[in-house]
Amino acid sequence: MANKISGDNRTRTCVTIFVVAGLCFFFYLLGSWQRSGIGKGDSIALAVTKRGENCNVLPNLNFETSHGGQAGSIDDSGTEVKKFKPCRPRYTDHTPCQDQKRAMHFPRENMIYRERHCPPPEKKLHCLIPAPKGYVTPFPWPKSRDYVPYANVPYKSLTVEKAIQNWIQYEGNVFRFPGGGTQFPQGADKYIDHLASVIPIQNGTVRTALDTGCGVASWGAYLWKRNVISMSFAPRDSHEAQVQFALERGVPAVIGVLGTIKMPYPSRAFDMAHCSRCLIPWGAADGILMLEVDRVLRPGGYWVLSGPPINWKTNFKAWQRPKEELQEEQRKVEEIAKLLCWEKKSEKGETAIWQKRLDADSCRSAQEDSEATFCKSADPDDVWYNKMEACITPSKGNGDVEGLKPFPERLFAVPPRIANGLVSGASIEAYLEDNKKWKKHVSAYKKINKLIDTGRYRNIMDMNSGLGGFAAALHSPTLWVMNVMPTIAEKNTLGVIYERGLIGIYHNWCEAFSTYPRTYDLIHANDLFSLYKDKCDFEDILLEMDRILRPEGAVILRDNVDVLIKARKIIGGMKWDFKLMDHEDGPLVPEKILVAVKKYWTVEDNNSTSTR
């Protein structure tokens, strides 16, 4: 009997080796075929899987026979896989919750029609969004800051509308971004130099920045080399694809607008907020939009207003607006800034800079004398689809801003929100342990996919970011991570993520994300499907991942075996190549890793398209 068991083991080992070798050879041929194409990007599938040693990192690929009773065994071989067809070409730049036609059915006042308006379930597309004809992999950073392939965003309207403002130029088969802007004709670098004469941009004190009405995000693009990361946003409007251009350049950005809904960011998050001729009516409605900026601005943070109404006496003719109107607008801005305990630090030319006082509480008595209204909400971070209020967010109860370290020390230092016990269930010990865990996980990811941190992946998303451990462990000058905090998460830790010097956003993954298709190079999701197991359809989440992932972009899913098996059934009907792998600690751990690569395909490759 012993000999028979030994023989069975040898047979099983041989079969396993044969399967692994076969998979390696298959992906080698797949990558070779992809590389042979002209204008098809850079064949990520080949680069990830072509080397034999990559396949030996996690050798236990025969998942069904590796777990016995400990992890459970699921046989889904009899389940028919649903094949997803490509959507029609008109959906190439489909943004479900910012659809232009749907937007026109909502009120235009206060920018309501440009806010998020998602389709009902019966109106959702259940097809794969195609890339435009001729789509290519973006240039690596920093070249992508200045050049974008025309085929990827084939819209020239901005080159005409902003021609004299040096935003964007069309040159052959690429767009060039000279780094100019309406308020910085000498270039973003010169403009930032002026800001740096007042704001301590270089010493790590200012790390996170909010750019309202960002245009093509040149301000954020040029802040990057000064170790400042921006969260830029602009609405989807007549200027075809401002945010799409920003992301194609490799700059963090989302589709968004300051209208009636609170911004999807935590309180006291940003070290600096910026408006460069963003055309936002800051003084209107009792300054409610400035009050919202104050909510997300950290004490000691800076607010920059560049353009109307600043220096209206000199510029009212050029702006073609009545000087009395501009004068009243600036008066309101100054009045609200004083109410908020913002101290004006500089006004030069058309740019004014205020600083929110560190000791804002000492200013409260003056505000109370002026009958200022304070928000009564117990949680200033409860913002998802909640209306803005004409009230001041209290400073107390959100961490000790003076406890923040300069960046990059801030990245792994204990965040004030955790040090002060303000995040339930997130102790200092748990935070330090989380950092160790994610350093280990990311090390394993880099062995699986050797292109991580080579410059190939610039725009990265973590769909369930927790304490930001994945982004912190991955931190590099070549990339940035959009940390997404699901609105249904047990712990709201997005404020912690900002205190680490990272950026992120609240979102509910039962809905589409506020971005254009093909705007992320790598998507990571930890326990996301377990979180949404009884909340919404896995199919919708995976199709949304496919929408925002670039052709030949990569996916890493880490979750319980049961839910990954369910997700794998759906992925089998998508244009992804994928492998299910064991946890780095071995086959008996129920948590598994699914790695995937989205195939390269475009509109012109569609033999049959969806009827949608």
Side-chain angles (χ1 to χ4, degrees), residues 336-392:
I336 298 160
K338 183 178 180 181
L339 185 70
L340 293 170
C341 291
W342 294 0
E343 180 183 358
K344 182 179 276 190
K345 308 298 286 188
S346 171
E347 182 174 326
K348 184 178 180 181
E350 297 176 18
T351 301
I353 302 172
W354 285 265
Q355 184 179 21
K356 182 177 179 178
R357 293 187 184 180
L358 271 171
D359 58 344
D361 288 338
S362 68
C363 187
R364 294 311 185 209
S365 58
Q367 290 179 338
E368 289 167 2
D369 291 343
S370 64
E371 299 182 353
T373 302
F374 294 89
C375 301
K376 293 182 171 52
S377 172
D379 184 4
D381 297 346
D382 182 16
V383 298
W384 188 247
Y385 283 127
N386 283 340
K387 294 281 188 180
M388 290 183 195
E389 302 174 83
C391 57
I392 299 171

Side-chain angles (χ1 to χ4, degrees), residues 18 74 138 234 359 411 535:
F18 178 76
I74 298 176
D359 58 344
L411 188 61
K535 304 297 188 300

Side-chain angles (χ1 to χ4, degrees), residues 95-120 123 257 260-261 385 387:
T95 55
C97 296
Q98 285 88 11
D99 181 75
Q100 297 276 51
K101 291 182 179 179
R102 186 180 304 107
M104 300 313 294
H105 292 91
F106 292 88
R108 299 180 70 85
E109 63 267 18
N110 299 323
M111 302 294 283
I112 292 174
Y113 74 115
R114 296 211 189 280
E115 294 177 334
R116 283 177 60 87
H117 301 291
C118 299
K123 295 289 186 180
V257 66
T260 65
I261 304 297
Y385 283 127
K387 294 281 188 180

